[in-house]
């Protein structure tokens, strides 16, 4: 892409054909997601609501959380991004998701820039086209407040572009670039530790491009920038009570995973289910048998991309400058491959890959960064076939490559169409939660007991005019992320109860009412039932 001119008309005229097509495809992807943001699609949930409540507290000056409430290892960058909009416009799902739409636009733009520099202009355009599509799983990881995933992808691409530019000597203020690299890397470590394989890859590119420079004063600026970016994590862990620091919490989470799974089960869940789900080839409710091929193909293409990058690194050019640029370019290609492989390997080590692949495949969403590397072997085969005089074997390979690209595109189109087809159902469910909040407020209810996936979502929709405490299936205390809400509910003289109709908690509460000889008015709102007891009743202890 050529350099943009100051005026809008000149900007468009300055783009070549691949750039113009990529611009159009990128705008389609952004427009599609903008409509989804306005419609609150994909649907909201209590995890996202917790980020929204943190943003509300930041906007009001009540809290400055370093980590998400109840999750002492996930940074709150998304909450801080939304807080100014909350202060200006008030809390809403649109205001919470709007900054993430900007991050998606940055992700697509930076992907185009990096792909064009590493591979080819038209592959960059093709990649933008594929990223414009998006089913539920992909879009949810891009434009909903899900913790880390929307922001670390453009951040990593920025790091790779900085490292590439430094290695190719295309940066005038090198000290400033190194400091910026450090700050971004530090922020990523604070925000979401899933980014670590890609951070290691970006640092590797930086070392290949000029490791000697890191042992000079400029290296101190890199370290200083990193410490500045990661400072919230360091400060919190220095003051955290025993067992509440990030590393201890992560160990507790890991120790809580089931371990009675085999390596084959975990590998199957990671490759055949996790990769297709995370890259948008499958719907969120599971992969059909004919969709599983993409997981195996992904690994095969990753291996082919590693071979191509390795061969490129061994190649020698007689000119020093050309050899330097060639080496750093192939090193960056290899970094994309290695980071993706490490991410898949780390996920495959977790028992969640075998026991809960549908829910945990989100941990692989960062693989979208390596999409150009995976497509590159296919692109080369297809391009070689297009040349005149190609041999029969090359033509066969080109046909197969075109078939794989077509198949992948069809899978992504299918998942996108499925999400579009579910918009009506999702909108209905969103209206029900708003109606639920309004009904409670009109009934004079200010405190509620409910299950986890209703609680914080209800609090956010009601803008904290209603507080909620979580109950599990047996009416025992559940996962309460924000303790002050629990204390308010326990202090309220007449709390209401809200359960999903037919759920275990709903049946348990009805039995509890009978045992306590308490009657309760019932109001049904969609899939939920509100209980308004005629006198105070507390959950069983």
């Amino acid at each position: 892409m050529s350099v943009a001119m100051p005026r809008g008309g000149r900007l468009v005229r300055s783009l070549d054909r691949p750039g113009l097509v990529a611009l159009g495809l990128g705008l389609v992807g952004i427009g599609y997601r903008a409509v989804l943001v306005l419609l609150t699609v994909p649907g909201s949930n209590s995890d996202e609501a917790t980020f929204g409540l943190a943003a509300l507290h930041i906007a009001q000056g009540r809290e400055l959380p370093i980590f998400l409430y109840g999750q002492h290892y996930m940074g709150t960058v998304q909450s801080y991004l939304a807080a100014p909009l909350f202060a200006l416009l008030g809390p809403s799902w649109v205001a919470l998701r709007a900054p993430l739409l900007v991050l998606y636009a940055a992700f697509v733009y930076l992907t185009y820039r990096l792909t064009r520099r590493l591979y080819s202009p038209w592959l960059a355009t093709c990649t933008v086209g594929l990223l414009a599509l998006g089913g539920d799983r992909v879009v949810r990881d891009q434009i909903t407040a899900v913790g880390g995933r929307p922001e670390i992808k453009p951040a990593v691409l920025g790091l790779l572009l900085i490292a590439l530019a430094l290695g190719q000597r295309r940066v005038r203020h090198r000290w400033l670039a190194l400091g910026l690299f450090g700050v971004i890397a530090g922020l990523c470590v604070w925000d979401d530790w899933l980014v670590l394989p890609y951070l290691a890859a970006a640092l590797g590119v930086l070392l290949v491009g000029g490791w000697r420079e890191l042992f000079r004063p400029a290296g101190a600026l890199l370290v200083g920038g990193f410490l500045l970016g990661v400072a919230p994590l360091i400060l919190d862990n220095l003051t955290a009570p025993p067992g509440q620091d990030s590393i201890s919490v992560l160990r507790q989470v890991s120790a809580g995973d089931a371990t009675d799974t085999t390596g084959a089960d975990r590998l199957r869940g990671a490759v055949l289910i996790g990769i297709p789900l995370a890259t948008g080839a499958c719907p969120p409710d599971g992969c059909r048998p004919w969709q599983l091929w993409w997981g195996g193909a992904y690994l095969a293409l990753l291996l082919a991309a590693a071979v191509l990058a390795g061969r490129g690194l061994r190649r020698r050019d007689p000119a020093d400058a050309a050899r330097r640029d060639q080496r750093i370019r192939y090193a960056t290609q290899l970094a994309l491959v290695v980071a993706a492989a490490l991410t898949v390997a780390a996920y495959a080590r977790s028992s969640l890959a075998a026991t809960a692949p549908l829910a945990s495949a989100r941990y692989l969403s960062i693989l979208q960064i390596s999409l150009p590397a995976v497509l590159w072997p296919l692109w080369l085969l297809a391009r070689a076939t297009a040349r005149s005089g190609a041999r029969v074997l090359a033509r066969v390979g080109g046909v197969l490559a075109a078939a794989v690209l077509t198949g992948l595109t069809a899978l992504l189109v299918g998942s996108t169409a499925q999400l579009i087809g579910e918009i009506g159902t999702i909108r209905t469910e969103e209206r029900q939660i708003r109606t639920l909040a309004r009904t409670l407020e009109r009934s004079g209810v200010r405190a509620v007991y409910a299950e986890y996936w209703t609680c914080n979502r209800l609090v956010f929709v009601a803008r904290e005019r209603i507080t909620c405490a979580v109950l599990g299936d047996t009416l025992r205390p559940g996962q309460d992320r924000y303790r002050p809400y629990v204390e308010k509910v326990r202090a309220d003289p007449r709390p209401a109860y809200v359960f999903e109709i037919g759920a275990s908690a709903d049946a348990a509460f009805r039995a509890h009412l009978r045992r306590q000889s308490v009657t309760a008015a019932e109001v049904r709102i969609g899939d939920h039932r509100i209980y308004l007891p005629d006198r105070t009743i507390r959950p069983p202890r």
Side-chain angles (χ1 to χ4, degrees):
M1 186 182 293
S2 52
V3 177
M5 302 299 288
R7 297 182 181 177
R10 291 184 181 180
L11 169 60
V12 174
R13 289 195 297 270
S14 69
L15 300 176
D16 56 13
R17 187 174 299 175
L20 285 171
V21 176
L23 177 62
L25 293 172
L27 290 176
V28 169
I30 294 169
Y32 165 55
R33 284 159 178 80
V35 171
L36 295 182
V37 167
L38 292 174
L39 296 177
T40 318
V41 176
S44 59
N45 59 45
S46 280
D47 282 349
E48 185 175 21
T50 305
F51 278 98
L53 292 168
L56 176 61
H57 298 165
I58 294 168
Q60 294 173 342
R62 292 162 49 190
E63 304 266 4
L64 294 175
I66 292 175
F67 293 108
L68 184 64
Y69 300 138
Q71 205 157 338
H72 206 83
Y73 57 89
M74 182 172 290
T76 48
V77 168
Q78 294 173 17
S79 297
Y80 282 95
L81 291 175
L85 291 179
F86 279 27
L88 183 65
L89 304 173
S92 68
W93 298 117
V94 173
L96 181 61
R97 294 181 177 185
L100 309 182
L101 180 64
V102 177
L103 289 172
Y104 165 77
F107 168 60
V108 172
Y109 171 71
L110 294 174
T111 297
Y112 177 85
R113 290 284 303 272
L114 185 65
T115 306
R116 182 156 182 151
R117 288 183 179 177
L118 295 182
Y119 302 105
S120 75
W122 282 111
L123 176 61
T125 301
C126 176
T127 303
V128 170
L130 293 177
L131 291 177
L133 300 168
D136 182 278
R137 178 73 274 159
V138 168
V139 170
R140 185 175 296 279
D141 287 333
Q142 292 172 342
I143 60 169
T144 67
V146 292
R149 296 187 286 281
E151 63 266 27
I152 60 176
K153 285 180 283 191
V156 167
L157 289 166
L159 292 175
L160 289 170
L161 282 166
I162 291 172
L164 181 63
L166 286 169
Q168 293 179 339
R169 305 295 189 269
R170 290 186 290 104
V171 178
R172 179 179 300 177
H173 303 290
R174 300 181 64 82
W175 284 38
L176 182 60
L178 283 169
L180 180 61
F181 186 102
V183 170
I184 296 174
L187 287 171
C188 286
V189 172
W190 162 43
D191 196 41
D192 192 342
W193 286 15
L194 291 176
V195 76
L196 291 181
Y198 279 88
L199 286 187
L203 181 59
V205 176
L206 196 65
L207 291 172
V208 171
W211 62 270
R212 292 183 181 87
E213 191 171 15
L214 301 184
F215 292 94
R216 297 171 183 169
L221 194 58
L222 172 68
V223 174
F226 176 81
L227 292 175
L228 178 62
V230 81
L233 183 148
I234 295 174
L235 293 174
D236 185 86
N237 281 275
L238 288 176
T239 58
Q244 294 299 312
D245 59 281
S246 301
I247 295 177
S248 297
V249 172
L250 281 173
R251 286 175 177 170
Q252 293 169 12
V253 171
S254 300
D257 290 344
T259 56
D260 56 345
T261 57
T262 65
D265 290 337
R266 294 195 298 270
L267 188 62
R268 180 185 181 278
V271 175
L272 295 184
I273 300 177
I275 291 176
L277 275 171
T279 54
C282 291
D285 58 347
C287 296
R288 312 299 181 261
W290 51 272
Q291 296 169 324
L292 299 177
W293 65 271
W294 174 238
Y298 187 98
L299 282 192
L301 292 170
L302 208 61
L303 178 60
V307 171
L308 291 171
R311 289 179 57 187
L313 278 172
R314 291 196 302 269
R315 194 178 305 158
R316 290 291 180 262
D317 192 286
D320 289 341
R323 182 164 61 246
R324 182 191 65 221
D325 290 352
Q326 167 189 289
R327 182 181 61 181
I328 193 65
R329 185 164 64 88
Y330 285 117
T332 309
Q333 291 182 13
L334 187 60
L336 289 173
V337 174
V338 171
L342 290 175
T343 299
V344 174
Y347 176 65
R349 291 185 60 190
S350 169
S351 61
L352 291 175
T355 59
L358 298 185
S360 61
R362 64 186 185 273
Y363 299 133
L364 294 176
S365 68
I366 198 170
L367 292 179
Q368 286 185 334
I369 295 173
S370 297
L371 179 62
V374 174
L375 296 178
W376 183 232
L378 296 174
W379 196 263
L380 287 178
L381 274 176
R383 192 170 66 180
T385 306
R387 296 172 183 168
S388 59
R391 297 180 180 180
V392 175
L393 187 60
R395 291 185 180 277
V396 172
V399 171
L400 289 175
V404 172
L405 282 170
T406 302
L408 174 60
T409 304
L411 291 176
L412 297 180
V413 169
S415 63
T416 303
Q418 182 178 24
L419 176 58
I420 293 173
E422 294 173 351
I423 287 178
T425 302
I426 296 171
R427 293 286 297 156
T428 298
E429 207 274 336
E430 289 296 318
R431 285 194 293 270
Q432 288 176 1
I433 196 68
R434 292 196 297 270
T435 302
L436 182 63
R438 286 197 298 268
T439 302
L440 288 167
E441 289 188 71
R442 290 170 183 169
S443 300
V445 173
R446 293 296 177 265
V448 169
Y449 285 102
E451 47 82 36
Y452 176 80
W453 293 109
T454 300
C455 232
N456 274 6
R457 188 181 181 202
L458 182 62
V459 176
F460 182 75
V461 170
R463 298 190 178 190
E464 293 190 308
R465 291 186 292 268
I466 297 173
T467 53
C468 184
V470 177
L471 296 179
D473 290 343
T474 62
L475 304 186
R476 301 299 180 188
Q479 184 184 12
D480 286 296
R481 292 193 176 275
Y482 191 60
R483 194 67 188 173
Y485 294 157
V486 181
E487 296 169 357
K488 284 186 177 181
V489 173
R490 290 179 177 174
D492 193 279
R494 294 285 293 275
Y497 291 78
V498 177
F499 299 109
E500 187 177 349
I501 297 172
S504 299
D506 186 46
F509 184 70
R510 297 179 78 87
H512 184 52
L513 286 174
R514 289 193 296 270
R515 287 193 301 269
Q516 299 297 317
S517 300
V518 174
T519 59
E522 299 180 13
V523 181
R524 179 169 179 168
I525 306 293
D527 296 331
H528 290 82
R529 183 183 284 119
I530 301 173
Y531 293 93
L532 301 170
D534 58 3
R535 61 184 174 84
T536 302
I537 182 171
R538 298 294 177 184
R541 293 187 180 274

